[in-house]
Each structure stands twice: as structure tokens, then as C-alpha cells.
Amino acid sequence: MTYHRLAVAPAARLHMLAQTAPLLRQAHTQQHIDTDDASTSKHATRRTPATADAARAAADAATQENASSPFSPFLDESGKLRAVSFSGAGWLLVYHLGVLDALRTLKLLGPSTVFAGASAGSLVACAAAGDLPTTALMDCYITMGEQCRRDKRWLRGKAGVYLNHALDMFVSDDLHLQLDGRALVAVTLLNNPRKPVLFDHFHSRTDLVEALTASCFVPLYLNGHLHTHFRQQRAIDGGIPRLIPSDPVRLAGAVNVCPFPRSVTACMGSTVHIGPHLQSRVKLGLSHSVLTAFKPPAESEAHILYQVGHASAVAFAQEALLPPRRQQRQHYQHQQHYKHQQHQPHQQQHEQHCAAAAEDASGHVLPLDHSQQRRQ
């Protein structure tokens, strides 16, 4: 490239420099971004400053969008939940089933709601995104729990048998297509065990089953092994590094659900929106919750945990969701009424204009017999 020197006055040079400096800085920044993107494609595991800045900017934009909502950060424009994130729970997933049933009964879930889950929460997230009935899931849970407690396989590191049986029952051949983009499964890959990876796209039914198995894989508990494999990488339970899945972009404005006491999630830096603390019927202690996560409860206790989850979701909805959604619907109705009032005068004027034009046209056009008489 050849550069030609321009013979211009000093004042003009300063003016040209002031005009071109922002363009040069933009081009220089774009060059660095392209270079960082190229290096990211070659080394996928390396996080470059450009990608970190882009992710941070997207997170800030999503946070500002949710914070700017005049009604509730949890609801979208249609009054449905933006996202629901289910924590790891083990055999306490029956609490998640109660929460899911309540949210469905209150009609707070829509086609755009995103579901995420870690460990046993990933099973409920996929069931929610796939519209699987909670009654069938509850029956399967009680049956599997009775067999596991009777055989005492949970003490011998063979609880994975019941997980595989449940996946064979409920994961259909096309379920991975229904979950595409709506269900996020947290899996901890051992090449970076500090942060789980959220997978939202699955190639086949087998790929989905392997993702759910990896997300629920507590070392030594399912099959006596320390880890499993997912997409040719070593993986373990998705709830070990972070009990509740989170993502500043895909899970912006998510409602976090956790059956453990708040002391457990507080030490992990997670905020719980739906938990046992919202109801006063049953108090779940820390030791009892941890024991129930590994040992399946009896049928009577399972129904109680289901009702506790249902009551917790209803209490949260009555306090934080239903009043804002009611205000949002009223605001939408007022907007539609205002638009109708604004449109009605224009429509009346248009109709009057058309009527006048038709009357004018009928007054000037001669009838057929008159025109024939004039030609004659």
C-alpha cells in the first residue's frame, strides 16, 4: 500500500486528524478482536480478553434489560417466567416436582421459558421443557425409591441402575429435538472442574442420555467409579462446583429453586428464590436434607416433600410473580384500549372519505342508457 503525503495547512491537518482518529481506533480494535477470535478458534479452551469483554458486555446488557422491566425481572412481556434453574438435589428431586407442578398450575410457564438443572435438577429441567407429566414422574420416583431402599443399592454404589431405568422410560427418540435451546444441562468436565458447562444442544437421544447421566454422576455413588465420560471427556456431577446453574445471558432473570436450607446455598454464593424457607409447614434440617439426598425417602415422606415444594412455589408466586403479572396485563390492556381509541377516529375519517368519494362518483358517471342516447 502506497501512502501519499498531502500538502495542507496545519489547521486543516489538525481537523483531518481529529476526524480520522476515531476511525483508526475502531479499525485497530476490530483488528485485535479478529486476531483474538482466530486464536480462540484454534485454542477453544483458552479464554481471550476479547471474548471475556464480549461476554461481560452481553451480561451487562441482559442485566440492564431485566432491570429496566417496570414489573418483575422474572417475567417476560407475555407474563411468563423467563427461566427456571433447578439445583442439584439427589433424591430430593421430588421437591422440584412439586415446584414444577405449582408453576404449571399457576400458568407461569410459556413456550419461551428456559429451564436449567444440575445433577437431579437436570432431570426435572428436561421434564419441564419436554412437557412430561408430573404424575407419571412422581409414580416412577416412588417405585424406584422403594426398590432402591429395599435393595440398599444406594449404600453399595449401584444407584445408577434406577437412573438408567428412568431414562429409558421417559427419554423418547425425539425428546432431544424438543429440548433444543430450552433445557440447559450442567456437566462438570474434569479439564476445568471449577465451573460446570451448560449444554443446550444434543445431537441424538444417546447424547441426551449421556449428558443427563454425567450431570447426575456423583463419584462412587452411581456405579462405584470416580467419573464417567461425556463427548469423549471425563465428567462428574454438574452440581458439585456450583449447586445452582447460572449464566448471565441464557439464564438472565432466572428463578432459582433449591430444596436445601439457605445456609447451604449462602456459603456457595447462590441466591435461592424458591426454597423450603418460604413455607412453615415442614422444617427441613441440614443433616436430614443431606441424608435424604442420598437415601430415597419413604412414600409418605416423598408426598410431604412434594407438597412442601408445591407450597413454596405458590408462596413465591403470590409474593413476587402474580401481582406484577396482574399489573403487566392491566398495562397491556390499557395500551390496547389507547391504540384502539387512537385508531378509531382515523378509521371513521377513512370510511367517511370513501363514502363521499363513492357518492361523488355516482353523481358524475352517466347511466348506461343516457350514454347510449348521447352517442345516438
Side-chain angles (χ1 to χ4, degrees):
M1 182 180 296
T2 305
Y3 294 91
H4 298 280
R5 191 170 183 177
L6 299 178
V8 294
R13 291 180 183 177
L14 293 177
H15 179 71
M16 293 175 59
L17 182 61
Q19 294 292 329
T20 56
L23 299 177
L24 293 175
R25 284 197 299 268
Q26 183 179 2
H28 183 69
T29 305
Q30 184 65 32
Q31 181 179 3
H32 277 286
I33 293 176
D34 295 340
T35 305
D36 292 333
D37 291 340
S39 61
T40 304
S41 61
K42 293 181 180 179
H43 307 282
T45 58
R46 182 180 178 182
R47 190 178 183 85
T48 60
T51 55
D53 294 340
R56 193 178 300 110
D60 295 340
T63 304
Q64 292 177 2
E65 180 183 357
N66 293 328
S68 62
S69 175
F71 304 103
S72 173
F74 305 111
L75 301 176
D76 58 12
E77 297 178 354
S78 61
K80 306 297 183 180
L81 288 175
R82 296 177 181 270
V84 182
S85 183
F86 296 97
S87 70
W91 287 97
L92 281 173
L93 70 88
V94 64
Y95 177 90
H96 289 332
L97 294 179
V99 172
L100 175 60
D101 182 45
L103 296 180
R104 286 177 172 175
T105 303
L106 297 173
K107 298 181 180 180
L108 290 170
L109 305 178
S112 61
T113 304
V114 178
F115 302 93
S119 191
S122 64
L123 304 177
V124 183
C126 292
D131 295 329
L132 300 181
T134 53
T135 53
L137 296 172
M138 187 65 179
D139 293 340
C140 177
Y141 173 87
I142 293 176
T143 302
M144 297 295 103
E146 290 289 342
Q147 294 180 2
C148 184
R149 192 171 57 255
R150 183 175 60 251
D151 299 339
K152 295 183 179 181
R153 292 192 176 187
W154 66 277
L155 287 173
R156 297 179 291 171
K158 296 182 179 180
V161 175
Y162 306 104
L163 175 63
N164 297 333
H165 182 68
L167 294 178
D168 291 338
M169 288 180 58
F170 291 101
V171 179
S172 59
D173 294 336
D174 60 343
L175 183 61
H176 64 283
L177 301 177
Q178 303 178 28
L179 305 183
D180 193 15
R182 290 198 62 199
L184 279 63
V185 178
V187 178
T188 303
L189 301 178
L190 292 183
N191 58 0
N192 185 16
R194 295 184 178 181
K195 184 177 180 180
V197 181
L198 296 177
F199 295 92
D200 59 354
H201 177 71
F202 307 100
H203 310 301
S204 61
R205 179 187 182 277
T206 303
D207 189 53
L208 175 60
V209 170
E210 292 179 354
L212 294 174
T213 303
S215 182
C216 298
F217 194 90
V218 179
L220 302 177
Y221 181 74
L222 287 187
N223 58 8
H225 296 162
L226 291 175
H227 61 81
T228 186
H229 289 84
F230 176 63
R231 295 182 181 177
Q232 300 180 354
Q233 298 188 59
R234 296 181 301 167
I236 58 175
D237 191 288
I240 291 179
R242 183 173 296 174
L243 191 61
I244 304 177
S246 62
D247 188 280
V249 179
R250 292 180 291 178
L251 295 178
V255 175
N256 296 333
V257 184
C258 181
F260 293 100
R262 285 186 292 181
S263 57
V264 177
T265 55
C267 65
M268 302 183 68
S270 300
T271 302
V272 178
H273 302 109
I274 299 180
H277 61 277
L278 295 178
Q279 54 83 43
S280 58
R281 177 183 176 184
V282 179
K283 297 296 182 182
L284 299 180
L286 177 59
S287 59
H288 180 71
S289 300
V290 174
L291 178 61
T292 309
F294 289 94
K295 179 183 177 181
E299 182 177 356
S300 59
E301 185 179 357
H303 284 289
I304 293 176
L305 292 173
Y306 184 92
Q307 295 299 327
V308 170
H310 193 282
S312 301
V314 171
F316 175 75
Q318 291 177 348
E319 179 181 354
L321 298 181
L322 297 184
R325 188 172 73 166
R326 193 177 302 114
Q327 297 175 5
Q328 187 170 351
R329 287 180 176 176
Q330 293 176 356
H331 178 72
Y332 177 76
Q333 292 175 358
H334 288 317
Q335 283 185 338
Q336 294 298 320
H337 182 67
Y338 177 76
K339 290 180 180 179
H340 179 70
Q341 288 182 343
Q342 293 292 326
H343 179 68
Q344 190 172 5
H346 297 286
Q347 186 176 3
Q348 292 178 354
Q349 293 178 2
H350 179 68
E351 292 177 354
Q352 293 176 359
H353 178 73
C354 292
E359 183 179 359
D360 185 41
S362 62
H364 288 83
V365 176
L366 295 176
L368 181 61
D369 54 345
H370 287 252
S371 61
Q372 292 177 353
Q373 291 177 2
R374 178 169 294 183
R375 289 195 191 98
Q376 294 175 358

